[in-house]
Short mmCIF file of all heavy atoms in Angstrom, two decimals:
data_model
loop_
_atom_site.label_atom_id
_atom_site.label_comp_id
_atom_site.label_asym_id
_atom_site.label_seq_id
_atom_site.Cartn_x
_atom_site.Cartn_y
_atom_site.Cartn_z
N MET A 1 -9.78 36.55 -24.07
CA MET A 1 -11.09 36.05 -23.70
C MET A 1 -11.21 34.55 -24.07
O MET A 1 -10.79 34.17 -25.15
CB MET A 1 -12.18 36.86 -24.40
CG MET A 1 -12.27 38.27 -23.98
SD MET A 1 -12.91 38.33 -22.32
CE MET A 1 -12.85 40.07 -22.04
N ALA A 2 -11.83 33.84 -23.21
CA ALA A 2 -11.99 32.40 -23.44
C ALA A 2 -13.22 32.15 -24.32
O ALA A 2 -14.24 32.81 -24.17
CB ALA A 2 -12.18 31.68 -22.12
N LYS A 3 -13.12 31.22 -25.24
CA LYS A 3 -14.22 30.87 -26.04
C LYS A 3 -15.15 29.94 -25.30
O LYS A 3 -14.74 29.19 -24.42
CB LYS A 3 -13.76 30.16 -27.33
CG LYS A 3 -13.14 31.04 -28.33
CD LYS A 3 -12.91 30.29 -29.62
CE LYS A 3 -12.38 31.18 -30.71
NZ LYS A 3 -12.16 30.49 -31.94
N GLN A 4 -16.43 30.00 -25.61
CA GLN A 4 -17.40 29.17 -25.01
C GLN A 4 -18.37 28.64 -26.07
O GLN A 4 -18.47 29.21 -27.16
CB GLN A 4 -18.20 29.95 -23.94
CG GLN A 4 -17.34 30.33 -22.76
CD GLN A 4 -18.13 30.97 -21.67
OE1 GLN A 4 -19.15 31.60 -21.90
NE2 GLN A 4 -17.69 30.85 -20.44
N LEU A 5 -19.05 27.60 -25.79
CA LEU A 5 -20.02 26.98 -26.69
C LEU A 5 -21.43 27.21 -26.15
O LEU A 5 -21.68 26.96 -24.98
CB LEU A 5 -19.78 25.46 -26.85
CG LEU A 5 -18.40 25.09 -27.43
CD1 LEU A 5 -18.26 23.57 -27.41
CD2 LEU A 5 -18.29 25.60 -28.86
N LYS A 6 -22.31 27.63 -27.02
CA LYS A 6 -23.72 27.80 -26.73
C LYS A 6 -24.40 26.58 -27.35
O LYS A 6 -24.46 26.46 -28.56
CB LYS A 6 -24.23 29.10 -27.30
CG LYS A 6 -25.69 29.35 -26.99
CD LYS A 6 -26.08 30.72 -27.59
CE LYS A 6 -27.53 30.99 -27.42
NZ LYS A 6 -27.94 32.25 -28.08
N ILE A 7 -24.91 25.64 -26.49
CA ILE A 7 -25.48 24.41 -26.94
C ILE A 7 -26.94 24.41 -26.69
O ILE A 7 -27.38 24.60 -25.56
CB ILE A 7 -24.79 23.21 -26.20
CG1 ILE A 7 -23.27 23.33 -26.36
CG2 ILE A 7 -25.30 21.88 -26.76
CD1 ILE A 7 -22.52 22.40 -25.45
N THR A 8 -27.76 24.12 -27.72
CA THR A 8 -29.21 24.11 -27.60
C THR A 8 -29.74 22.77 -28.05
O THR A 8 -29.35 22.26 -29.12
CB THR A 8 -29.82 25.23 -28.51
OG1 THR A 8 -29.23 26.48 -28.17
CG2 THR A 8 -31.32 25.29 -28.34
N LEU A 9 -30.63 22.18 -27.28
CA LEU A 9 -31.23 20.94 -27.62
C LEU A 9 -32.38 21.19 -28.58
O LEU A 9 -33.36 21.86 -28.27
CB LEU A 9 -31.81 20.22 -26.34
CG LEU A 9 -32.37 18.82 -26.58
CD1 LEU A 9 -31.31 17.87 -27.06
CD2 LEU A 9 -32.96 18.31 -25.26
N VAL A 10 -32.29 20.69 -29.84
CA VAL A 10 -33.27 20.97 -30.85
C VAL A 10 -34.07 19.75 -31.29
O VAL A 10 -35.06 19.88 -32.01
CB VAL A 10 -32.64 21.61 -32.12
CG1 VAL A 10 -32.04 22.95 -31.78
CG2 VAL A 10 -31.60 20.71 -32.70
N LYS A 11 -33.64 18.55 -30.88
CA LYS A 11 -34.36 17.34 -31.21
C LYS A 11 -34.46 16.47 -29.94
O LYS A 11 -33.51 16.39 -29.19
CB LYS A 11 -33.63 16.59 -32.33
CG LYS A 11 -34.42 15.40 -32.84
CD LYS A 11 -33.76 14.77 -34.02
CE LYS A 11 -34.53 13.52 -34.41
NZ LYS A 11 -33.80 12.71 -35.40
N SER A 12 -35.57 15.81 -29.77
CA SER A 12 -35.78 15.02 -28.55
C SER A 12 -34.89 13.78 -28.53
O SER A 12 -34.76 13.10 -29.53
CB SER A 12 -37.25 14.58 -28.50
OG SER A 12 -37.45 13.73 -27.44
N PRO A 13 -34.28 13.51 -27.38
CA PRO A 13 -33.47 12.32 -27.27
C PRO A 13 -34.22 11.05 -26.92
O PRO A 13 -33.61 10.02 -26.61
CB PRO A 13 -32.50 12.70 -26.14
CG PRO A 13 -33.28 13.61 -25.29
CD PRO A 13 -34.17 14.39 -26.24
N ILE A 14 -35.55 11.09 -26.99
CA ILE A 14 -36.35 9.93 -26.61
C ILE A 14 -36.00 8.71 -27.44
O ILE A 14 -35.84 7.61 -26.91
CB ILE A 14 -37.86 10.24 -26.75
CG1 ILE A 14 -38.29 11.23 -25.65
CG2 ILE A 14 -38.72 8.97 -26.66
CD1 ILE A 14 -39.71 11.71 -25.78
N GLY A 15 -35.83 8.84 -28.76
CA GLY A 15 -35.51 7.70 -29.62
C GLY A 15 -34.03 7.40 -29.71
O GLY A 15 -33.68 6.44 -30.38
N ALA A 16 -33.19 8.17 -29.06
CA ALA A 16 -31.75 7.98 -29.13
C ALA A 16 -31.33 6.80 -28.24
O ALA A 16 -32.06 6.35 -27.35
CB ALA A 16 -31.02 9.22 -28.68
N ILE A 17 -30.11 6.27 -28.53
CA ILE A 17 -29.64 5.19 -27.72
C ILE A 17 -29.33 5.70 -26.31
O ILE A 17 -29.11 6.93 -26.10
CB ILE A 17 -28.42 4.50 -28.36
CG1 ILE A 17 -27.24 5.52 -28.51
CG2 ILE A 17 -28.75 3.88 -29.68
CD1 ILE A 17 -25.98 4.88 -29.04
N PRO A 18 -29.31 4.86 -25.28
CA PRO A 18 -29.11 5.30 -23.90
C PRO A 18 -27.84 6.12 -23.67
O PRO A 18 -27.87 7.05 -22.88
CB PRO A 18 -29.12 3.99 -23.11
CG PRO A 18 -29.92 3.04 -23.92
CD PRO A 18 -29.62 3.42 -25.37
N LYS A 19 -26.79 5.76 -24.32
CA LYS A 19 -25.51 6.51 -24.10
C LYS A 19 -25.67 7.95 -24.58
O LYS A 19 -25.19 8.89 -23.97
CB LYS A 19 -24.38 5.80 -24.92
CG LYS A 19 -23.04 6.44 -24.69
CD LYS A 19 -21.96 5.66 -25.38
CE LYS A 19 -20.61 6.31 -25.15
NZ LYS A 19 -19.52 5.54 -25.82
N GLN A 20 -26.41 8.18 -25.71
CA GLN A 20 -26.61 9.54 -26.18
C GLN A 20 -27.54 10.29 -25.27
O GLN A 20 -27.35 11.48 -25.03
CB GLN A 20 -27.19 9.48 -27.62
CG GLN A 20 -26.19 8.97 -28.62
CD GLN A 20 -26.81 8.75 -29.99
OE1 GLN A 20 -28.02 8.76 -30.16
NE2 GLN A 20 -25.94 8.58 -30.98
N ARG A 21 -28.56 9.61 -24.73
CA ARG A 21 -29.45 10.27 -23.75
C ARG A 21 -28.66 10.71 -22.52
O ARG A 21 -28.86 11.82 -22.01
CB ARG A 21 -30.58 9.37 -23.35
CG ARG A 21 -31.69 9.24 -24.39
CD ARG A 21 -32.91 8.62 -23.81
NE ARG A 21 -32.66 7.28 -23.34
CZ ARG A 21 -33.15 6.17 -23.84
NH1 ARG A 21 -33.94 6.25 -24.91
NH2 ARG A 21 -32.86 5.00 -23.34
N ALA A 22 -27.77 9.86 -22.08
CA ALA A 22 -26.97 10.21 -20.91
C ALA A 22 -26.04 11.39 -21.21
O ALA A 22 -25.78 12.25 -20.34
CB ALA A 22 -26.13 8.98 -20.49
N THR A 23 -25.50 11.44 -22.44
CA THR A 23 -24.62 12.56 -22.84
C THR A 23 -25.43 13.87 -22.83
O THR A 23 -24.92 14.89 -22.39
CB THR A 23 -24.03 12.31 -24.22
OG1 THR A 23 -23.29 11.10 -24.17
CG2 THR A 23 -23.11 13.43 -24.65
N VAL A 24 -26.66 13.85 -23.32
CA VAL A 24 -27.48 15.06 -23.33
C VAL A 24 -27.72 15.55 -21.92
O VAL A 24 -27.61 16.75 -21.62
CB VAL A 24 -28.85 14.78 -24.07
CG1 VAL A 24 -29.82 15.90 -23.83
CG2 VAL A 24 -28.57 14.59 -25.55
N VAL A 25 -28.02 14.62 -20.99
CA VAL A 25 -28.24 15.01 -19.56
C VAL A 25 -26.91 15.56 -19.00
O VAL A 25 -26.93 16.51 -18.25
CB VAL A 25 -28.75 13.80 -18.79
CG1 VAL A 25 -28.78 14.09 -17.29
CG2 VAL A 25 -30.16 13.43 -19.28
N ALA A 26 -25.81 14.93 -19.32
CA ALA A 26 -24.51 15.38 -18.81
C ALA A 26 -24.16 16.79 -19.26
O ALA A 26 -23.45 17.54 -18.60
CB ALA A 26 -23.41 14.40 -19.20
N LEU A 27 -24.66 17.15 -20.43
CA LEU A 27 -24.46 18.48 -20.96
C LEU A 27 -25.35 19.50 -20.25
O LEU A 27 -25.20 20.72 -20.41
CB LEU A 27 -24.71 18.55 -22.47
CG LEU A 27 -23.67 17.92 -23.34
CD1 LEU A 27 -24.17 17.80 -24.80
CD2 LEU A 27 -22.36 18.76 -23.33
N GLY A 28 -26.28 19.03 -19.48
CA GLY A 28 -27.20 19.90 -18.71
C GLY A 28 -28.47 20.26 -19.49
O GLY A 28 -29.16 21.21 -19.13
N LEU A 29 -28.76 19.51 -20.52
CA LEU A 29 -29.92 19.76 -21.34
C LEU A 29 -31.05 18.81 -20.90
O LEU A 29 -30.97 17.63 -21.11
CB LEU A 29 -29.62 19.56 -22.82
CG LEU A 29 -28.50 20.47 -23.33
CD1 LEU A 29 -28.05 20.03 -24.69
CD2 LEU A 29 -28.96 21.92 -23.37
N LYS A 30 -32.10 19.37 -20.28
CA LYS A 30 -33.18 18.54 -19.81
C LYS A 30 -34.42 18.70 -20.57
O LYS A 30 -35.30 17.80 -20.56
CB LYS A 30 -33.43 18.85 -18.30
CG LYS A 30 -32.24 18.55 -17.46
CD LYS A 30 -32.50 18.88 -16.03
CE LYS A 30 -31.25 18.57 -15.18
NZ LYS A 30 -31.48 18.93 -13.81
N LYS A 31 -34.65 19.82 -21.22
CA LYS A 31 -35.87 20.09 -21.98
C LYS A 31 -35.56 20.57 -23.38
O LYS A 31 -34.47 21.12 -23.63
CB LYS A 31 -36.73 21.14 -21.26
CG LYS A 31 -37.24 20.73 -19.92
CD LYS A 31 -38.11 21.80 -19.32
CE LYS A 31 -38.68 21.34 -17.99
NZ LYS A 31 -39.58 22.31 -17.41
N MET A 32 -36.48 20.42 -24.26
CA MET A 32 -36.35 20.90 -25.65
C MET A 32 -36.11 22.41 -25.65
O MET A 32 -36.74 23.14 -24.86
CB MET A 32 -37.59 20.58 -26.46
CG MET A 32 -37.73 19.10 -26.75
SD MET A 32 -36.52 18.51 -27.91
CE MET A 32 -36.93 19.50 -29.34
N HIS A 33 -35.26 22.88 -26.55
CA HIS A 33 -34.94 24.30 -26.76
C HIS A 33 -34.27 24.96 -25.55
O HIS A 33 -34.21 26.15 -25.46
CB HIS A 33 -36.17 25.05 -27.18
CG HIS A 33 -36.84 24.46 -28.36
ND1 HIS A 33 -36.27 24.42 -29.64
CD2 HIS A 33 -38.00 23.74 -28.48
CE1 HIS A 33 -37.08 23.77 -30.46
NE2 HIS A 33 -38.13 23.37 -29.81
N LYS A 34 -33.78 24.12 -24.59
CA LYS A 34 -33.01 24.68 -23.48
C LYS A 34 -31.58 24.92 -24.00
O LYS A 34 -31.05 24.15 -24.76
CB LYS A 34 -32.97 23.67 -22.34
CG LYS A 34 -32.02 23.98 -21.25
CD LYS A 34 -32.69 24.04 -19.90
CE LYS A 34 -31.66 24.14 -18.81
NZ LYS A 34 -31.37 25.44 -18.42
N THR A 35 -30.99 26.03 -23.54
CA THR A 35 -29.64 26.41 -23.96
C THR A 35 -28.74 26.47 -22.75
O THR A 35 -29.12 26.99 -21.71
CB THR A 35 -29.71 27.74 -24.65
OG1 THR A 35 -30.55 27.66 -25.78
CG2 THR A 35 -28.30 28.19 -25.10
N VAL A 36 -27.51 25.97 -22.90
CA VAL A 36 -26.51 26.05 -21.86
C VAL A 36 -25.23 26.61 -22.50
O VAL A 36 -24.96 26.46 -23.68
CB VAL A 36 -26.20 24.69 -21.21
CG1 VAL A 36 -27.38 24.19 -20.45
CG2 VAL A 36 -25.74 23.67 -22.23
N ILE A 37 -24.44 27.30 -21.67
CA ILE A 37 -23.16 27.82 -22.07
C ILE A 37 -22.07 26.98 -21.38
O ILE A 37 -22.02 26.88 -20.17
CB ILE A 37 -22.97 29.30 -21.68
CG1 ILE A 37 -24.12 30.14 -22.21
CG2 ILE A 37 -21.63 29.83 -22.10
CD1 ILE A 37 -24.09 30.35 -23.69
N MET A 38 -21.22 26.36 -22.22
CA MET A 38 -20.17 25.48 -21.64
C MET A 38 -18.80 25.95 -22.20
O MET A 38 -18.75 26.61 -23.24
CB MET A 38 -20.42 24.05 -22.15
CG MET A 38 -21.75 23.50 -21.72
SD MET A 38 -21.87 23.35 -19.97
CE MET A 38 -21.53 21.69 -19.72
N PRO A 39 -17.74 25.67 -21.48
CA PRO A 39 -16.41 26.00 -21.96
C PRO A 39 -16.06 25.26 -23.26
O PRO A 39 -16.47 24.10 -23.45
CB PRO A 39 -15.47 25.61 -20.81
CG PRO A 39 -16.22 24.61 -20.03
CD PRO A 39 -17.68 24.95 -20.20
N ASP A 40 -15.30 25.92 -24.11
CA ASP A 40 -14.90 25.26 -25.37
C ASP A 40 -13.61 24.53 -25.15
O ASP A 40 -12.55 25.09 -25.18
CB ASP A 40 -14.72 26.33 -26.44
CG ASP A 40 -14.41 25.72 -27.81
OD1 ASP A 40 -14.46 24.48 -27.96
OD2 ASP A 40 -14.12 26.49 -28.74
N ASN A 41 -13.71 23.22 -24.87
CA ASN A 41 -12.52 22.37 -24.71
C ASN A 41 -12.75 21.03 -25.40
O ASN A 41 -13.83 20.78 -25.90
CB ASN A 41 -12.17 22.20 -23.22
CG ASN A 41 -13.29 21.64 -22.42
OD1 ASN A 41 -14.07 20.81 -22.87
ND2 ASN A 41 -13.42 22.08 -21.18
N GLU A 42 -11.78 20.20 -25.42
CA GLU A 42 -11.86 18.93 -26.14
C GLU A 42 -12.92 18.00 -25.57
O GLU A 42 -13.62 17.30 -26.33
CB GLU A 42 -10.51 18.23 -26.10
CG GLU A 42 -9.42 18.96 -26.89
CD GLU A 42 -9.77 19.04 -28.36
OE1 GLU A 42 -10.28 18.07 -28.95
OE2 GLU A 42 -9.51 20.13 -28.93
N ALA A 43 -13.13 18.03 -24.26
CA ALA A 43 -14.15 17.13 -23.67
C ALA A 43 -15.52 17.56 -24.10
O ALA A 43 -16.36 16.69 -24.49
CB ALA A 43 -14.01 17.19 -22.15
N MET A 44 -15.81 18.85 -24.12
CA MET A 44 -17.14 19.33 -24.52
C MET A 44 -17.35 19.06 -26.03
O MET A 44 -18.44 18.64 -26.43
CB MET A 44 -17.32 20.84 -24.26
CG MET A 44 -17.47 21.15 -22.82
SD MET A 44 -18.99 20.39 -22.16
CE MET A 44 -18.32 19.67 -20.70
N ARG A 45 -16.31 19.29 -26.80
CA ARG A 45 -16.38 19.06 -28.26
C ARG A 45 -16.70 17.60 -28.54
O ARG A 45 -17.49 17.27 -29.43
CB ARG A 45 -15.09 19.46 -28.97
CG ARG A 45 -14.82 20.94 -28.98
CD ARG A 45 -15.51 21.59 -30.12
NE ARG A 45 -15.26 23.03 -30.13
CZ ARG A 45 -15.48 23.79 -31.17
NH1 ARG A 45 -15.98 23.27 -32.27
NH2 ARG A 45 -15.24 25.07 -31.10
N GLY A 46 -16.09 16.73 -27.77
CA GLY A 46 -16.36 15.28 -27.95
C GLY A 46 -17.76 14.91 -27.59
O GLY A 46 -18.44 14.10 -28.25
N MET A 47 -18.29 15.46 -26.50
CA MET A 47 -19.65 15.18 -26.07
C MET A 47 -20.62 15.69 -27.11
O MET A 47 -21.58 14.98 -27.48
CB MET A 47 -19.92 15.82 -24.73
CG MET A 47 -19.17 15.14 -23.58
SD MET A 47 -19.34 16.03 -22.04
CE MET A 47 -21.03 15.56 -21.58
N VAL A 48 -20.37 16.87 -27.64
CA VAL A 48 -21.27 17.47 -28.65
C VAL A 48 -21.21 16.63 -29.94
O VAL A 48 -22.24 16.46 -30.59
CB VAL A 48 -20.88 18.95 -28.90
CG1 VAL A 48 -21.55 19.47 -30.15
CG2 VAL A 48 -21.22 19.79 -27.68
N TRP A 49 -20.03 16.12 -30.30
CA TRP A 49 -19.89 15.36 -31.52
C TRP A 49 -20.77 14.12 -31.50
O TRP A 49 -21.36 13.75 -32.48
CB TRP A 49 -18.43 15.00 -31.73
CG TRP A 49 -18.20 14.37 -33.04
CD1 TRP A 49 -18.01 14.97 -34.25
CD2 TRP A 49 -18.17 12.98 -33.34
NE1 TRP A 49 -17.85 14.03 -35.22
CE2 TRP A 49 -17.96 12.80 -34.70
CE3 TRP A 49 -18.27 11.82 -32.53
CZ2 TRP A 49 -17.86 11.53 -35.30
CZ3 TRP A 49 -18.22 10.56 -33.13
CH2 TRP A 49 -18.00 10.44 -34.50
N HIS A 50 -20.84 13.50 -30.32
CA HIS A 50 -21.67 12.27 -30.20
C HIS A 50 -23.16 12.50 -30.28
O HIS A 50 -23.90 11.59 -30.62
CB HIS A 50 -21.34 11.53 -28.92
CG HIS A 50 -20.03 10.81 -28.96
ND1 HIS A 50 -19.85 9.66 -29.68
CD2 HIS A 50 -18.80 11.09 -28.46
CE1 HIS A 50 -18.61 9.23 -29.56
NE2 HIS A 50 -17.93 10.11 -28.80
N VAL A 51 -23.62 13.74 -29.96
CA VAL A 51 -25.03 14.03 -30.05
C VAL A 51 -25.29 15.17 -31.07
O VAL A 51 -26.25 15.91 -30.92
CB VAL A 51 -25.63 14.35 -28.67
CG1 VAL A 51 -25.62 13.12 -27.79
CG2 VAL A 51 -24.91 15.52 -28.01
N ARG A 52 -24.44 15.28 -32.05
CA ARG A 52 -24.51 16.41 -33.00
C ARG A 52 -25.86 16.44 -33.76
O ARG A 52 -26.27 17.51 -34.22
CB ARG A 52 -23.35 16.36 -33.96
CG ARG A 52 -23.32 15.17 -34.86
CD ARG A 52 -21.95 15.09 -35.64
NE ARG A 52 -21.91 13.94 -36.48
CZ ARG A 52 -21.53 12.74 -36.12
NH1 ARG A 52 -21.17 12.54 -34.83
NH2 ARG A 52 -21.51 11.75 -36.95
N HIS A 53 -26.54 15.33 -33.88
CA HIS A 53 -27.83 15.28 -34.59
C HIS A 53 -29.01 15.77 -33.69
O HIS A 53 -30.09 15.96 -34.18
CB HIS A 53 -28.12 13.90 -35.08
CG HIS A 53 -28.14 12.86 -34.04
ND1 HIS A 53 -26.98 12.43 -33.39
CD2 HIS A 53 -29.14 12.19 -33.46
CE1 HIS A 53 -27.30 11.50 -32.47
NE2 HIS A 53 -28.60 11.31 -32.51
N LEU A 54 -28.71 15.97 -32.41
CA LEU A 54 -29.75 16.41 -31.47
C LEU A 54 -29.59 17.84 -31.00
O LEU A 54 -30.52 18.42 -30.41
CB LEU A 54 -29.71 15.50 -30.18
CG LEU A 54 -29.92 14.02 -30.42
CD1 LEU A 54 -29.72 13.27 -29.09
CD2 LEU A 54 -31.27 13.70 -30.99
N VAL A 55 -28.41 18.43 -31.23
CA VAL A 55 -28.13 19.78 -30.70
C VAL A 55 -27.70 20.75 -31.79
O VAL A 55 -27.31 20.33 -32.87
CB VAL A 55 -27.05 19.73 -29.59
CG1 VAL A 55 -27.47 18.87 -28.45
CG2 VAL A 55 -25.76 19.21 -30.19
N ARG A 56 -27.81 22.05 -31.47
CA ARG A 56 -27.24 23.12 -32.31
C ARG A 56 -26.17 23.77 -31.45
O ARG A 56 -26.40 24.10 -30.28
CB ARG A 56 -28.33 24.09 -32.70
CG ARG A 56 -27.81 25.21 -33.57
CD ARG A 56 -28.91 26.19 -34.01
NE ARG A 56 -29.69 26.64 -32.88
CZ ARG A 56 -31.05 26.66 -32.85
NH1 ARG A 56 -31.72 26.34 -33.93
NH2 ARG A 56 -31.69 27.10 -31.82
N VAL A 57 -25.02 23.99 -32.09
CA VAL A 57 -23.90 24.60 -31.35
C VAL A 57 -23.43 25.86 -32.00
O VAL A 57 -23.34 25.95 -33.23
CB VAL A 57 -22.74 23.58 -31.35
CG1 VAL A 57 -21.55 24.13 -30.57
CG2 VAL A 57 -23.15 22.24 -30.73
N GLU A 58 -23.18 26.88 -31.18
CA GLU A 58 -22.65 28.16 -31.66
C GLU A 58 -21.47 28.54 -30.77
O GLU A 58 -21.46 28.27 -29.54
CB GLU A 58 -23.70 29.29 -31.52
CG GLU A 58 -24.98 28.99 -32.29
CD GLU A 58 -26.07 30.02 -31.92
OE1 GLU A 58 -25.71 31.18 -31.65
OE2 GLU A 58 -27.24 29.60 -31.91
N GLU A 59 -20.45 29.11 -31.35
CA GLU A 59 -19.31 29.55 -30.61
C GLU A 59 -19.56 31.01 -30.20
O GLU A 59 -20.03 31.83 -30.99
CB GLU A 59 -18.03 29.53 -31.42
CG GLU A 59 -17.57 28.13 -31.71
CD GLU A 59 -16.22 28.09 -32.51
OE1 GLU A 59 -15.70 29.18 -32.80
OE2 GLU A 59 -15.78 27.01 -32.77
N VAL A 60 -19.31 31.32 -28.94
CA VAL A 60 -19.49 32.69 -28.44
C VAL A 60 -18.21 33.18 -27.76
O VAL A 60 -17.53 32.35 -27.16
CB VAL A 60 -20.69 32.79 -27.44
CG1 VAL A 60 -21.97 32.57 -28.19
CG2 VAL A 60 -20.56 31.83 -26.31
N GLU A 61 -17.96 34.42 -27.87
CA GLU A 61 -16.82 35.06 -27.18
C GLU A 61 -17.35 35.67 -25.91
O GLU A 61 -18.35 36.37 -25.88
CB GLU A 61 -16.21 36.16 -28.05
CG GLU A 61 -15.46 35.62 -29.24
CD GLU A 61 -14.18 34.92 -28.90
OE1 GLU A 61 -13.56 35.26 -27.91
OE2 GLU A 61 -13.77 34.06 -29.67
N GLU A 62 -16.72 35.40 -24.82
CA GLU A 62 -17.16 35.93 -23.53
C GLU A 62 -16.33 37.14 -23.10
O GLU A 62 -15.20 37.25 -23.35
CB GLU A 62 -17.01 34.80 -22.50
CG GLU A 62 -17.89 34.82 -21.32
CD GLU A 62 -19.34 35.24 -21.42
OE1 GLU A 62 -20.04 34.83 -22.32
OE2 GLU A 62 -19.74 36.01 -20.52
#
């Protein structure tokens, strides 16, 4: 089974720098407390690392 990441936006990106706001949108997070399921790969991990102060991440088995 492939691992996946459950990513939830827990802090508003309004005060964040534009690159971080763009990363949040690229992750598919448009509203507070919205959750998306993404594949667990290096690209997703890198995106999450850059906005780690805005999101909560959980690993899920599918």
